[in-house]
Amino acid sequence: MKSLNPSFIFIFTLVSSSVGFYLPGLAPVSFCEKNSNGDPGECQTEIQLFVNRLDSVESVLPYEYDAFNFCKDKDERRPSENLGQVLFGERIETSPYKFSFKADKACERVCTISYETTKEDKLKLDFLKRGMELNYQHHWIVDNMPVTWCYLVEDNQKVCNPGFPIGCLVNQEGNPKDACVINADFNRKNTYYVFNHVDITIIYHSEDETTGMGARLVAATLEPKSIKHADDNNPTCEGAPMDIPADSSSSLKVTYTYSVKFKQNNEIKWASRWDYILVSMPHSNIQWFSIMNSLVIVLFLSGMVAMIMLRTLHKDIARYNQLDQEEAQEESGWKQVHGDVFRPPKMGMLLSVFLGQGCQIFIMTFITLFLACLGFLSPANRGALMTCSVVLWVLLGTPAGYVSSRLYKTFGGEKWKTNVLLTALLCPGIVFVDFFLMNLILWVEGSSAAVPFGTLVAVLALWFGISVPLTFLGAYFGFKKPGIEPPVRTNQIPRQIPQQSFFTKPVPGIIMGGILPFGCIFIQLFFILNSIWSHQMYYMFGFLFLVFIILLITCSEATVLLCYFHLCAEDYHWWWRSFLTSGFTAVYLFVYAVHYFYSKLQIIGAASTILYFGYTSIMVLIFFIFTGTIGFFACYWFVNKIYSVLKVD
């Protein structure tokens, strides 16, 4: 009998092991009550509530749970976090809130925090007040699900927020801020109200008990309350709100309590347990409007390009090929610059470096969005999106080095060492320096978003230990290949460019070129900025992937269109112009980010403002290189195509 092929055994094992695989890679946990012997069997009985960093829409600075002097877990432990979570500033730890499955509790005391008149306690209380004034939000997690605060807004629409405030403020004029509007008892001027009690409801889906699978948690909601307990040791969870006067200087005690109840709901399945949060988020009809808006722009551009390619260009080529050389000399148009159109550009080194980096960013973005569409990078899989992006970028050094070196050789460059070093270090270096400066501000402010020194060293190790060598490897293969041969010869003497009209001059063309691609993405951009700065969950990766494809098409067509007009005007300086035309979309992105900052956000403080624009600069640089690369290669293909079919003596 023949022995089985080892590769067949490996594939069979891989397929069979994937039968129980759950997207996004997270298996459900079963819970059940203890039996009469106190033995839980194969399922868990204890439910651990985890706490994450606290953040605010009025500040870019997140803080750890412990920074606000809340109740701490005696046996505090932190689950291991991936690279993406650390870079995003997530700091998950266990909390003193612990429940037993199906064991309802009413007004359970957690701890009492005392604020004396000492300087240290005054600083802690002032920090808590500042957090309430800036509307800092708790983020609690049960069974890898956010504990949500659900409430009704206009038109009785239910909104479920994956965070809830630590408290609120009624200002000196008696106007309630933020969450203080939920209770008419919050009415004392210049007073803070701390939410020291939560009513938690845990909803579970229970299968038939005969299957022995236990129950699965499908939702966890809470309602925050402010209660001044008469007896701190035996609270009853009744009484007036827990108020803290803004100018109070006396000692103070805050007792934290909770109630928990369990409800069964077999209509909600474990696989769709996130739906109730996502349904209350911005609806997909706006997304469809965004897609339709983008498609109209694409159809318009495609029509223009098709008209040029099929009618004008086809007629041009036929006419140019039929004319005698003498007659052709009298003609004007894009054929006249055939001897100059492939003349190497100025600063070819920098252009080739940008294009190499652009290819790296393009492949990284495409694979990341594709995996996100499959569900691998869903909100449940915390930090996966950032981890995936960083790892892919590190591993894609080879195509960056190859493209950069091959194009640089095509441009006739000889300083190949400088080219490779710039490809490996220039753009990543700018991003890292910006990120490091932002991190210094976070360190000074004591924010949890400050990336630990060890993680920075690990990122540098990934960059210099993997990405840089891979870039050198790609450059080695790129320089071994011959330069890309143009379809026509380049004249020794450059042709004089005729006087250009206003619209065929470089700057107006570049400014116009970025408008249409930006028009395709600005609605989607609003939701992305909301997810970053307003702490809303982003999950519509299918829409994002579609917009990404539309952006590629729009950048390509807009650049090709303008490139054709410039060549017809006998301006053959298309190399840099094609890159800058679509790359100018990033300038519109920056302008929109400035508009978003002043019109949508309530961010206050110099540190938060610097952080916002510092991180936005990184986004704009990456987007500039990405869109510029798309426009350049579309134009490069177009120019090669049209001049390759010309009969030139």
Side-chain angles (χ1 to χ4, degrees):
M1 183 179 171
K2 274 187 171 183
S3 62
L4 285 172
N5 191 324
S7 61
F8 173 78
I9 296 171
F10 172 73
I11 293 167
F12 179 77
T13 309
L14 196 66
V15 171
S16 60
S17 66
S18 68
V19 172
F21 182 73
Y22 289 88
L23 291 178
L26 302 165
V29 179
S30 295
F31 294 89
C32 51
E33 298 175 271
K34 288 182 180 178
N35 56 31
S36 56
N37 300 325
D39 179 18
E42 294 183 0
C43 33
Q44 295 185 22
T45 59
E46 297 300 317
I47 299 172
Q48 173 68 66
L49 189 146
F50 290 89
V51 290
N52 203 346
R53 64 175 187 178
L54 286 84
D55 52 37
S56 166
V57 294
E58 297 180 33
S59 174
V60 179
L61 302 165
Y63 290 98
E64 287 194 47
Y65 176 81
D66 293 343
F68 286 96
N69 199 30
F70 296 126
C71 301
K72 297 178 183 177
D73 187 12
K74 292 176 183 176
D75 306 315
E76 183 181 300
R77 57 186 175 83
R78 294 174 182 265
S80 58
E81 294 177 331
N82 58 42
L83 181 62
Q85 285 177 290
V86 176
L87 292 176
F88 268 132
E90 287 200 8
R91 300 293 181 267
I92 299 172
E93 60 188 78
T94 54
S95 77
Y97 298 85
K98 295 177 173 65
F99 324 119
S100 294
F101 181 65
K102 291 178 77 172
D104 293 358
K105 287 183 180 179
C107 201
E108 189 79 7
R109 178 180 174 275
V110 184
C111 77
T112 300
I113 302 292
S114 297
Y115 295 98
E116 302 299 335
T117 55
T118 62
K119 186 179 179 181
E120 185 183 354
D121 281 358
K122 279 184 177 179
L123 287 172
K124 289 179 181 178
L125 185 59
D126 287 342
F127 192 73
L128 179 65
K129 288 177 181 177
R130 182 66 174 162
M132 289 188 278
E133 186 180 346
L134 293 176
N135 195 29
Y136 268 83
Q137 307 261 325
H138 282 287
H139 292 281
W140 290 2
I141 303 162
V142 165
D143 191 30
N144 201 42
M145 274 202 72
V147 183
T148 58
W149 176 33
C150 297
Y151 50 90
L152 295 176
V153 292
E154 296 173 3
D155 303 325
N156 284 330
Q157 184 187 351
K158 187 180 180 182
V159 173
C160 290
N161 192 353
F164 68 96
I166 61 176
C168 60
L169 168 67
V170 177
N171 62 21
Q172 292 177 343
E173 290 78 34
N175 298 322
K177 277 189 67 183
D178 304 314
C180 274
V181 298
I182 65 174
N183 193 334
D185 293 335
F186 299 162
N187 51 27
R188 292 180 60 183
K189 292 182 180 180
N190 205 23
T191 302
Y192 297 92
Y193 293 91
V194 61
F195 291 129
N196 59 333
H197 175 83
V198 285
D199 287 329
I200 302 170
T201 304
I202 295 177
I203 301 168
Y204 63 92
H205 174 102
S206 184
E207 298 287 347
D208 184 6
E209 293 183 3
T210 57
T211 61
M213 287 182 65
R216 290 172 180 174
L217 307 188
V218 292
T221 61
L222 59 73
E223 184 183 353
K225 291 181 178 178
S226 180
I227 301 170
K228 184 181 284 185
H229 300 289
D231 186 349
D232 291 326
N233 294 319
N234 297 296
T236 57
C237 294
E238 293 177 355
M242 181 67 219
D243 57 337
I244 305 174
D247 51 3
S248 173
S249 58
S250 58
S251 60
L252 177 77
K253 285 186 178 181
V254 181
T255 298
Y256 290 89
T257 55
Y258 73 91
S259 299
V260 61
K261 58 183 176 182
F262 290 82
K263 286 184 179 178
Q264 183 173 346
N265 186 337
N266 286 349
E267 292 180 4
I268 306 173
K269 302 295 183 186
W270 185 87
S272 57
R273 63 182 189 158
W274 284 74
D275 289 3
Y276 83 99
I277 307 171
L278 306 179
V279 162
S280 68
M281 299 222 151
H283 285 295
S284 58
N285 55 357
I286 301 172
Q287 299 283 346
W288 282 117
F289 170 74
S290 164
I291 299 294
M292 293 306 295
N293 167 62
S294 304
L295 285 174
V296 167
I297 294 172
V298 167
L299 287 172
F300 166 72
L301 276 175
S302 299
M304 292 283 285
V305 170
M307 186 177 72
I308 287 170
M309 297 288 279
L310 297 176
R311 294 186 60 191
T312 315
L313 206 55
H314 184 71
K315 287 179 182 177
D316 282 352
I317 291 167
R319 190 172 80 252
Y320 287 146
N321 287 341
Q322 287 172 2
L323 289 171
D324 294 329
Q325 187 68 24
E326 291 179 9
E327 292 173 330
Q329 292 294 331
E330 298 170 9
E331 289 289 322
S332 63
W334 55 268
K335 185 189 176 183
Q336 305 311 305
V337 294
H338 68 82
D340 298 273
V341 76
F342 290 101
R343 191 176 301 283
K346 294 178 181 177
M347 294 192 293
M349 169 85 79
L350 185 61
L351 181 60
S352 63
V353 167
F354 279 162
L355 293 169
Q357 284 291 329
C359 289
Q360 191 174 8
I361 294 166
F362 166 70
I363 301 168
M364 176 199 78
T365 309
F366 182 84
I367 297 173
T368 303
L369 287 179
F370 184 71
L371 291 174
C373 285
L374 295 178
F376 285 101
L377 311 177
S378 78
N381 206 351
R382 300 172 191 281
L385 190 73
M386 190 66 171
T387 306
C388 178
S389 300
V390 172
V391 170
L392 281 172
W393 180 84
V394 166
L395 296 176
L396 289 168
T398 306
Y402 179 83
V403 170
S404 176
S405 59
R406 189 90 193 272
L407 284 171
Y408 183 61
K409 194 170 184 180
T410 303
F411 296 156
E414 295 175 355
K415 298 176 182 177
W416 63 271
K417 292 178 183 176
T418 310
N419 174 260
V420 181
L421 284 170
L422 284 175
T423 306
L425 304 176
L426 179 63
C427 298
I430 294 169
V431 171
F432 184 81
V433 168
D434 188 323
F435 182 78
F436 183 74
L437 291 174
M438 296 305 105
N439 209 48
L440 282 178
I441 296 171
L442 292 168
W443 269 334
V444 171
E445 296 289 335
S447 172
S448 69
V451 176
F453 181 74
T455 308
L456 283 177
V457 172
V459 170
L460 284 172
L462 288 172
W463 179 16
F464 286 100
I466 300 174
S467 182
V468 171
L470 286 175
T471 307
F472 272 77
L473 182 68
Y476 170 76
F477 287 112
F479 278 116
K480 277 190 73 176
K481 291 259 187 181
I484 303 166
E485 282 294 320
V488 288
R489 289 195 308 272
T490 301
N491 295 335
Q492 289 185 346
I493 302 170
R495 179 188 176 90
Q496 188 175 357
I497 297 170
Q499 183 71 30
Q500 299 293 306
S501 67
F502 175 77
F503 290 106
T504 54
K505 286 180 180 176
V507 176
I510 288 168
I511 292 171
M512 286 189 295
I515 294 173
L516 290 174
F518 178 75
C520 292
I521 63 162
F522 80 97
I523 296 176
Q524 200 66 235
L525 189 62
F526 172 75
F527 292 109
I528 293 169
L529 292 177
N530 268 355
S531 72
I532 297 171
W533 304 113
S534 297
H535 313 296
Q536 293 183 8
M537 227 168 270
Y538 191 89
Y539 64 98
M540 294 169 283
F541 293 107
F543 284 114
L544 187 60
F545 189 71
L546 197 54
V547 169
F548 171 76
I549 300 298
I550 290 170
L551 176 66
L552 296 183
I553 297 168
T554 315
C555 282
S556 304
E557 292 183 342
T559 311
V560 165
L561 208 58
L562 288 164
C563 181
Y564 174 74
F565 292 146
H566 287 122
L567 289 174
C568 285
E570 299 181 28
D571 184 351
Y572 51 84
H573 294 312
W574 63 272
W575 300 95
W576 269 106
R577 187 181 291 162
S578 63
F579 184 85
L580 295 172
T581 298
S582 54
F584 203 79
T585 312
V587 176
Y588 292 109
L589 168 65
F590 181 75
V591 171
Y592 184 81
V594 173
H595 163 74
Y596 181 85
F597 178 81
Y598 287 107
S599 65
K600 303 293 181 186
L601 297 179
Q602 301 98 40
I603 287 177
I604 53 175
S608 291
T609 304
I610 294 168
L611 286 166
Y612 176 86
F613 286 105
Y615 288 130
T616 299
S617 300
I618 294 174
M619 289 168 52
V620 168
L621 174 65
I622 292 170
F623 194 71
F624 168 72
I625 295 169
F626 165 69
T627 50
T629 302
I630 300 304
F632 174 87
F633 281 110
C635 197
Y636 190 52
W637 171 84
F638 172 75
V639 172
N640 265 281
K641 200 76 177 169
I642 63 172
Y643 284 98
S644 64
V645 294
L646 271 184
K647 294 176 184 174
V648 180
D649 296 330

